[in-house]
Amino acid sequence: MLLAAITTNQLLLYGSILAIIGLFLSKTGFRFGLPTLLLFLGVGMAAGTTEYFNFDDPVTAQSIGTVALVIILFSGGMDTSYRQIKPILLPGALLATVGVLLTALLTAVFIYYLFQWIDFGVKLTFLESLLFASVMSSTDSASVFSILRSRKTNLKCNLKPLLEFESGSNDPMAYMLTIILVSMIKMGDSVSIWDGVWMFVVQFVVGVLLGFLLGKAAAWLVNKTNLYATSLYPILMLAVSFFIYSFTNAVYGNGYLAVYVSGLVIGNSRIQYSNTIAKFFDGIQWLSQLVMFLTLGLLVDVPYLLQLSIPAILISLFMMLFGRPIAVHLTLLPFWRKLKMKSQMYISWVGLRGAVPIIFAMTPWVEGVENAQLVFTIVFFITILSLLVQGTTVQMMAEKLDLVDTETKDPVFGDINLPQRIKSSISEIVVSKNMIERSNKMMDLPLPDHTLAIMVQRDEKFFIPKGQTELAEGDHVLFISDDEEALVQAYEELGVNNYSLDKNI
């Protein structure tokens, strides 16, 4: 029954109250290090125990979760700089594929023997255990994006873009494993392991290909379309994201992968009104997360959740301490020189579970697979534990492992957009000691032609520099240039590691 058959007015009233409570609690929870998304789950669970919200419709919840996840992945892709992920593209891609598979296999073995050795009222087959583990095998993009970006902590060794790229791109792998295993369980011997492998290859290849092509087409469409109101462009982009997801699924590709890839392509292309589009998606992404977590909180059966606490805690501890770390270390063996043990330990710890595994866990439930509600409930419990234990210690673990980059500073000038017809690039650097060793005068910097310093920030003061201006360590300098490639090369020659480049102009 959907929300106890309440009226539309009551639904809007109660829903808005829950949202307001969740938002105010998130401000309080942030002070204590509690993830905002965990609080939304808690509000939904609390509301679900009342007589006003009796929600037990997994089909509707899955639909809401799918819409929200499309928006989150598309927005996450748009907000990811290709320049940042380029150095970590290969290890990130391996974590998103091989890492997910290894996590699923290791966890499946543990779940199978756990339910064989201990009587929890049900015996799971290995295929059911593998389905169980596959649902939880990916990290949650919504949780990772929101926690890493809300903390505003700069990490060494390119860990932040690596974790965000992995979380945004590994959901499709887990989803494909889930779909394949559901088909194998339902159809029995008529589906072989090679059918599953072929299904995976088709979904992956079609998803990446269509994501790239449709992303390029969407960027071209936005630049060529002349709508009468600026506010319509974000709506156009939202419709495009839903089209990419549904069209890719219709031709047997992976819609989630296509959405993330297309968002990555669009976000790294020159499109008009990019700042307006980015701000719109930032807001609607938070709204999607709020609605999704509230809905999932309403769906769970709290008494049944408590009954399954023991297996949920055991599986969660295995994934945190053994499953995820072993998979990460094995996957990153070829990169041990760049990603040392401390970095790999941190990557293992930030394997946050969130709404995505819960949404995936609804697939076998909706398909009528045996023991599916048990899987959903345990996955829900594991998500709570992951957000509560790992989500609250993201900052602490970075500090304990000495992975906080104190030298890198966040941009102070914010997002600056130029009209699409202007082909210049704007970048911001932080002046380092080695950069001004020979000379600290602006005129002596070996910058390319057609490059101009337009603003300097020093000790909370802003001023326009001249050729004779003497730079100091820690100054933030804003440049505009017609030759982006030459400017980046000049930064490398100067030893400038801390700079941001506006990728949308």
Side-chain angles (χ1 to χ4, degrees), residues 17-36:
I17 291 173
L18 291 180
I20 292 170
I21 292 173
L23 289 169
F24 276 100
L25 282 176
S26 67
K27 182 179 180 180
T28 304
F30 184 77
R31 296 176 182 174
F32 297 97
L34 292 175
T36 301

Side-chain angles (χ1 to χ4, degrees), residues 110-266:
F110 178 79
I111 292 173
Y112 175 74
Y113 284 108
L114 177 68
F115 277 82
Q116 294 296 321
W117 291 341
I118 302 177
D119 185 12
F120 294 117
V122 62
K123 299 292 184 182
L124 297 178
T125 66
F126 184 76
L127 208 56
E128 290 174 333
S129 301
L130 187 56
L131 171 61
F132 194 160
S134 298
V135 164
M136 300 182 293
S137 57
S138 69
T139 57
D140 182 61
S141 54
S143 301
V144 173
F145 288 159
S146 63
I147 290 175
L148 288 181
R149 294 176 184 179
S150 64
R151 294 293 184 272
K152 295 183 178 179
T153 301
N154 295 309
L155 300 171
K156 298 177 181 178
C157 306
N158 279 328
L159 288 179
K160 189 172 181 180
L162 174 60
L163 289 165
E164 291 187 352
F165 176 69
E166 181 207 1
S167 67
S169 58
N170 66 6
D171 294 336
M173 179 70 176
Y175 182 71
M176 285 186 279
L177 289 174
T178 301
I179 293 298
I180 291 167
L181 289 166
V182 167
S183 300
M184 293 178 71
I185 290 172
K186 291 186 66 177
M187 300 178 68
D189 296 335
S190 61
V191 178
S192 68
I193 187 66
W194 296 112
D195 293 329
V197 171
W198 175 247
M199 190 186 304
F200 167 78
V201 171
V202 170
Q203 286 216 351
F204 188 86
V205 172
V206 174
V208 170
L209 185 62
L210 285 182
F212 178 79
L213 295 176
L214 293 177
K216 287 289 187 182
W220 177 86
L221 178 66
V222 170
N223 288 331
K224 294 299 181 181
T225 302
N226 185 20
L227 302 177
Y228 66 87
T230 304
S231 57
L232 294 179
Y233 285 91
I235 306 299
L236 173 63
M237 197 60 73
L238 181 63
V240 164
S241 67
F242 291 138
F243 171 79
I244 292 172
Y245 170 80
S246 55
F247 179 77
T248 305
N249 280 343
V251 294
Y252 306 104
N254 188 275
Y256 292 121
L257 181 59
V259 163
Y260 181 76
V261 172
S262 63
L264 191 63
V265 170
I266 293 168

Side-chain angles (χ1 to χ4, degrees), residues 3 6 39 71 178 188 197 201 211 237 266-267 279 321 331 349 355 405 444 446 455 483:
L3 302 180
I6 61 177
L39 295 169
I71 294 172
T178 301
V197 171
V201 171
M237 197 60 73
I266 293 168
K279 288 181 177 179
L321 303 178
T331 304
W349 189 250
D405 186 359
D444 293 330
M455 188 70 68
D483 194 339

